[in-house]
Amino acid sequence: MFEGPLQDLIDELSRLPGVGPKSAQRIAFHLLNVDPSDITRLQEALGGVRDGVQFCRICCNISREEVCRICSDSGRDGGTICVVEEPKDIQVIERTGEFSGRYHVLGGALDPLANIGPRELNISTLLQRIGGVLPDRELADSTPENKLFDATPTVREVILATDPNTEGEATAAYLGRLLKDFPDLVISRLASGMPLGGDLEFVDELTLSRALSGRLQI
Ligand code: ZN
């Protein structure tokens, strides 16, 4: 234990995911020796995260503007939507260079043990993008009016790219059932070859690229 602000910093850093006490100490001592301008930039970045992050009103990805870069890119196919759990999953799929459609971020996966049900995820907004109609009465009731969208291009295919673990599979199965109500909509799931029980984030690009191109209709 150290005294004063240094220990406060170590304590705060230790609370971050993936940062153990030793790493926290190493980062804190590193910051003790860096240029004051580096500290200022770090402070500004931290402040910016608190004040400046917003979510795209169409796909719920993290965005600088009201509509994110991908949703406003007319070169991308609005007819195909890849559904992912978290914004970081978009980065992973983008790195494969295999996908030129658009995304939808659920904000997590169904997890009854953690009290995360369909209402806690961005599902009603997904349904609106696909058809403008909400087949599920319960979800329709929970959709704020100010979230209604402008007309979007007709969606032909939804790729369910939730994580290949229990919660991700349950979420994909749930969405698969829900989306069956939309006639003519192709619903697909990332192909096999994905490591089971894993997190999309840790799947290598080649495997993900193959899983995407060999996706199976469900
Ligand atoms: Zn977007």
Side-chain angles (χ1 to χ4, degrees), residues 6 10 37 55 69 74 102 110 126 132 151 156 208 214 217:
L6 185 68
I10 293 172
S37 64
F55 297 93
R69 190 177 46 79
S74 58
R102 299 202 176 142
L110 294 176
L126 172 66
R156 300 180 311 272
L208 188 57
Q217 199 171 328

Side-chain angles (χ1 to χ4, degrees), residues 14-150:
S14 306
R15 292 168 55 189
L16 300 174
V19 181
K22 277 195 176 152
S23 304
Q25 197 170 313
R26 201 159 54 235
I27 297 167
F29 273 99
H30 168 77
L31 292 172
L32 208 55
N33 293 314
V34 299
D35 206 70
S37 64
D38 289 343
I39 298 282
T40 308
R41 272 207 313 282
L42 183 60
Q43 277 174 330
E44 283 169 1
L46 288 171
V49 152
R50 188 190 53 210
D51 306 327
V53 166
Q54 56 177 336
F55 297 93
C56 171
R57 72 181 174 88
I58 296 175
C59 73
C60 310
N61 187 17
I62 290 168
S63 178
R64 198 181 278 269
E65 311 289 338
E66 199 187 346
V67 174
C68 78
R69 190 177 46 79
I70 294 176
C71 287
S72 44
D73 183 349
S74 58
R76 304 206 49 139
D77 175 18
T80 308
I81 295 181
C82 182
V83 177
V84 295
E85 291 183 20
E86 306 287 350
K88 62 183 163 60
D89 298 331
I90 292 182
Q91 314 293 331
V92 183
I93 294 175
E94 283 296 285
R95 277 205 298 272
T96 67
E98 194 75 36
F99 183 67
S100 60
R102 299 202 176 142
Y103 293 94
H104 194 84
V105 180
L106 293 172
L110 294 176
D111 187 356
L113 293 177
N115 286 324
I116 299 175
R119 281 178 179 219
E120 278 66 50
L121 304 177
N122 300 320
I123 292 176
S124 57
T125 48
L126 172 66
L127 298 178
Q128 283 179 338
R129 288 180 74 183
I130 296 167
V133 189
L134 297 170
D136 187 314
R137 202 55 231 153
E138 204 183 330
L139 281 169
D141 290 343
S142 68
T143 306
E145 277 171 6
N146 62 3
K147 281 210 159 186
L148 291 174
F149 300 126
D150 313 330

Side-chain angles (χ1 to χ4, degrees), residues 120-193:
E120 278 66 50
L121 304 177
N122 300 320
I123 292 176
S124 57
T125 48
L126 172 66
L127 298 178
Q128 283 179 338
R129 288 180 74 183
I130 296 167
V133 189
L134 297 170
D136 187 314
R137 202 55 231 153
E138 204 183 330
L139 281 169
D141 290 343
S142 68
T143 306
E145 277 171 6
N146 62 3
K147 281 210 159 186
L148 291 174
F149 300 126
D150 313 330
T152 47
T154 310
V155 179
R156 300 180 311 272
E157 180 179 3
V158 171
I159 304 168
L160 301 171
T162 47
D163 288 344
N165 55 27
T166 314
E167 293 80 18
E169 292 298 343
T171 308
Y174 173 83
L175 288 175
R177 283 196 305 275
L178 204 60
L179 297 177
K180 283 242 184 308
D181 287 353
F182 292 98
D184 304 327
L185 180 70
V186 174
I187 310 157
S188 54
R189 177 86 175 114
L190 291 184
S192 54

